[in-house]
Amino acid sequence: MNHGRSSSHVRSHKKLHGWSPDQNQWNEKLYPFWEKGDPRWKDCWRGGKVVARLTSDSPALVGSNVTFTVTLHFPRCQIEDNDSNIVYDRNCRNGLGPKSSYVYNWTTWIDDCGWENCTSNNTHNVFPDGRPFPRHPGWRRKNFVYLFHTVGQYYQKTGGSSAIISINTTNITLGKQMMVVSVYRRGHRTYVPVATASGIYVVTDQIPLYVNLSQKNDRNASDSVFIKDSPITFDVKIHDPSHYLNNAAISYKWDYGDGSGSFISNSPISNHTYTLQGNFSLNLTVQAIIPIPCGPATPTPPLPTSPGKSLSINRITTIPPYNLDSPISAGVMEDTPDGGCHIYRYGHYKTTISIVEGILQVNIIQMTSVQMTVAQGENSLVDFVVTCQGSLPTDACTIVSDPTCQVSQNVVCDPVEVTDQCLLTIRRAFNEPGTYCVNITLGDDASQALTSALISVNGAPGSSSRTVEGVLIASGFLVAFVIIVSLLLYKRYKEYKPIERCAEQAVNREGLSVYFNNVKAVLFPGNNERDPLLKSKPGIV
């Protein structure tokens, strides 16, 4: 079964449940073995080459299950039908027009009878080692045979155009291992090799994990730069696809690196606020206490180890740890007073983050309508006086949307120069009456903050009596809009056409009162803006 590979490898591994040693005999008449480069591979499939793609959910914590998936990719325009035959896709054109014939019509090859009454092809319904195919419902429609091989052992199963297996890692040596799969198709007299695939998987004694870091107003979470005086959320994701740790007691020990001490929690989500600027080393240790059946202590599968420290607390024994290109993780067996037994596993995470000044908050403190004469056109101008807390902004973006803040109508972004305090005026033009959702974002290299308001532009076009009313939008109302804003601000700057002003233009100095009420879009009749523009003037953006 090993086809020239050394069988001594299997002696260093314990037996995998349901798997067989590769010293078993292989029926090469029924399942021919072709070396790489054999010319027979060119004719093993009609119409082209079949590619097998092998994936796994590795890395796997020792003791858990690791799952492998093999998917066959057929030549263009070939698909598997409901009867597990391979046919030409009628909706696909391959230079010869639509096709509807079979590539392989295996249904006509199979005797139409039950297992007990068929004798003519029973010798063909066996695996390479001679074991019969499992007689589950629909077993005759499984036209492919998959042979998985790892750590000197093999597993065989029938299937369609894909196959999935899971193996327990308790008896697999820690480190990188190779999984090889060979795929055979049903033939008239023999099974024909059609594809092979291989892949590396990893078994580790450390809990596989990663941490998502996020922060309100942070401009780019992937650069590890965050702003001070604003909480950072640390969300730990443990990689456990087989749910091996479902019954484990898991704790999280945090050291944020700013001298605030250690913090231990049972929750995978933690929040911390840095009050100083600088670089900080974040350290996390995850401990899992896993219940297991009591019995003789079974050490972690062997590999060359570094000297391990012995731990003597009550009836605890420490297994020498193995370093797998990451911090040390030790497995510990404990016989508890209540008669239960547990094993301890650990995971580690370490990173360095930078804390800088950033924009913490943006507020619209005043909205003022600018009167226009009939000769100056139909546009209504509105000045938004904006202030912010934290660092000074370098750019400002305005997004004008429908009254629900769901459909964006216009985005304008421009650099701003603020040298003393964060106070600036943003001018916008609205060419017809209506209700609009206006979102203003101020940003710098590390942060960006958002504020919003609903405004109602009243009055006939060209009328000097045109007025503007506004209501600030509560932050909770904007949850659905934040995603849209982030996407639209990906491109920070857009070209715009300034509004030309005449000397007759007069500015209404009477400020508009801003009401901190709950937003009710029905207060204002809706109408959509078509061309809001930005006006440049000293002191106004």
Side-chain angles (χ1 to χ4, degrees):
M1 292 288 288
N2 58 30
H3 284 288
R5 292 184 295 266
S6 174
S7 61
S8 62
H9 183 64
V10 71
R11 291 194 291 270
S12 64
H13 297 270
K14 295 184 178 179
K15 187 174 186 309
L16 303 178
H17 179 70
W19 288 58
S20 304
D22 59 10
Q23 293 94 337
N24 290 353
Q25 294 297 316
W26 177 293
N27 185 347
E28 290 204 42
K29 292 184 177 180
L30 189 59
Y31 289 87
F33 177 78
W34 300 342
E35 295 285 354
K36 184 178 180 180
D38 192 306
R40 289 175 291 181
W41 283 106
K42 297 181 180 180
D43 300 322
C44 67
W45 190 269
R46 297 173 186 167
K49 179 181 179 181
V50 176
V51 177
R53 302 193 186 278
L54 175 65
T55 60
S56 76
D57 57 11
S58 164
L61 180 63
V62 61
S64 68
N65 291 342
V66 58
T67 298
F68 299 88
T69 301
V70 184
T71 304
L72 299 182
H73 295 262
F74 303 114
R76 186 173 182 268
C77 297
Q78 296 184 14
I79 59 174
E80 185 181 35
D81 68 7
N82 295 331
D83 294 323
S84 297
N85 298 309
I86 308 301
V87 300
Y88 289 104
D89 185 359
R90 296 184 180 183
N91 298 320
C92 178
R93 293 182 177 271
N94 195 21
L96 298 176
K99 296 194 176 184
S100 59
S101 60
Y102 286 93
V103 181
Y104 291 101
N105 186 0
W106 285 305
T107 302
T108 61
W109 298 6
I110 301 172
D111 292 340
D112 186 18
C113 58
W115 177 278
E116 295 81 2
N117 299 326
C118 281
T119 58
S120 61
N121 66 352
N122 274 356
T123 57
H124 289 69
N125 296 320
V126 296
F127 289 111
D129 61 3
R131 298 180 190 179
F133 291 166
R135 290 175 283 179
H136 51 72
W139 67 273
R140 290 182 177 277
R141 295 180 182 271
K142 307 297 183 182
N143 298 306
F144 294 93
V145 176
Y146 294 84
L147 303 170
F148 296 86
H149 184 272
T150 189
V151 295
Q153 301 170 64
Y154 70 92
Y155 183 85
Q156 49 198 4
K157 70 177 300 182
T158 59
S161 59
S162 63
I164 300 176
I165 64 165
S166 294
I167 58 177
N168 188 269
T169 60
T170 300
N171 292 331
I172 297 180
T173 302
L174 296 179
K176 296 180 180 179
Q177 305 293 346
M178 174 74 75
M179 175 66 75
V180 179
V181 61
S182 300
V183 186
Y184 286 75
R185 68 166 173 84
R186 188 187 296 274
H188 284 286
R189 297 179 179 178
T190 66
Y191 287 87
V192 180
V194 294
T196 62
S198 62
I200 298 293
Y201 65 100
V202 177
V203 179
T204 176
D205 60 352
Q206 299 184 87
I207 301 173
L209 60 90
Y210 64 96
V211 181
N212 281 331
L213 283 70
S214 61
Q215 184 185 47
K216 179 183 178 183
N217 297 342
D218 180 42
R219 194 154 200 164
N220 181 9
S222 63
D223 62 2
S224 298
V225 177
F226 300 90
I227 59 179
K228 78 180 189 73
D229 297 324
S230 180
I232 303 175
T233 299
F234 305 90
D235 188 1
V236 183
K237 303 294 185 182
I238 293 178
H239 181 70
D240 183 31
S242 67
H243 310 293
Y244 175 63
L245 300 177
N246 271 12
N247 296 322
I250 302 177
S251 60
Y252 306 83
K253 182 179 179 181
W254 296 92
D255 184 348
Y256 299 105
D258 59 350
S260 59
S262 298
F263 173 72
I264 300 177
S265 171
N266 293 326
S267 171
I269 299 177
S270 175
N271 294 284
H272 185 72
T273 300
Y274 289 86
T275 58
L276 298 175
Q277 298 184 62
N279 297 324
F280 301 92
S281 295
L282 172 70
N283 287 276
L284 167 67
T285 300
V286 178
Q287 174 185 267
I289 306 175
I290 308 167
I292 60 173
C294 292
T298 302
T300 301
L303 269 183
T305 60
S306 58
K309 298 179 180 179
S310 61
L311 177 65
S312 177
I313 303 177
N314 295 332
R315 303 174 63 184
I316 301 177
T317 303
T318 303
I319 300 170
Y322 170 69
N323 192 342
L324 187 64
D325 299 329
S326 52
I328 290 177
S329 174
V332 180
M333 292 285 295
E334 180 182 11
D335 186 1
T336 58
D338 61 3
C341 293
H342 303 82
I343 189 169
Y344 288 63
R345 296 293 180 191
Y346 297 90
H348 304 273
Y349 175 82
K350 183 177 182 179
T351 190
T352 299
I353 61 176
S354 298
I355 304 299
V356 299
E357 288 278 1
I359 302 173
L360 301 176
Q361 187 176 359
V362 175
N363 293 298
I364 300 174
I365 62 174
Q366 189 176 19
M367 290 181 286
T368 305
S369 61
V370 180
Q371 296 292 339
M372 301 286 292
T373 65
V374 175
Q376 292 173 321
E378 300 180 354
N379 290 330
S380 291
L381 296 181
V382 179
D383 282 349
F384 299 88
V385 181
V386 181
T387 185
C388 67
Q389 299 178 11
S391 62
L392 298 179
T394 58
D395 56 77
C397 292
T398 305
I399 301 177
V400 179
S401 308
D402 70 328
T404 67
C405 296
Q406 300 294 315
V407 181
S408 175
Q409 300 175 3
N410 185 267
V411 180
V412 177
C413 294
D414 274 286
V416 296
E417 293 184 4
V418 181
T419 58
D420 186 11
Q421 60 179 344
C422 186
L423 181 65
L424 65 157
T425 300
I426 298 176
R427 179 164 291 177
R428 276 288 171 269
F430 302 86
N431 62 355
E432 61 183 39
T435 301
Y436 305 96
C437 174
V438 179
N439 295 271
I440 297 176
T441 300
L442 301 184
D444 58 14
D445 290 339
S447 61
Q448 61 182 18
L450 168 72
T451 187
S452 300
L454 274 180
I455 69 168
S456 180
V457 179
N458 300 319
S463 173
S464 61
S465 62
R466 180 174 296 184
T467 62
V468 177
E469 295 179 354
V471 178
L472 290 188
I473 300 178
S475 59
F477 182 76
L478 295 174
V479 173
F481 193 75
V482 169
I483 298 176
I484 301 175
V485 172
S486 300
L487 293 175
L488 291 172
L489 294 183
Y490 180 75
K491 294 184 178 179
R492 294 170 52 183
Y493 307 114
K494 297 184 71 174
E495 294 294 332
Y496 66 93
K497 181 180 180 181
I499 299 174
E500 298 299 331
R501 302 180 64 227
C502 299
E504 307 92 79
Q505 180 172 312
V507 177
N508 182 1
R509 299 294 182 180
E510 297 181 3
L512 172 71
S513 299
V514 180
Y515 304 95
F516 294 87
N517 299 334
N518 292 330
V519 175
K520 296 182 180 178
V522 296
L523 292 177
F524 310 109
N527 207 339
N528 290 332
E529 174 192 13
R530 291 179 301 191
D531 189 24
L533 300 174
L534 186 66
K535 176 64 185 179
S536 295
K537 175 184 176 182
I540 299 177
V541 295

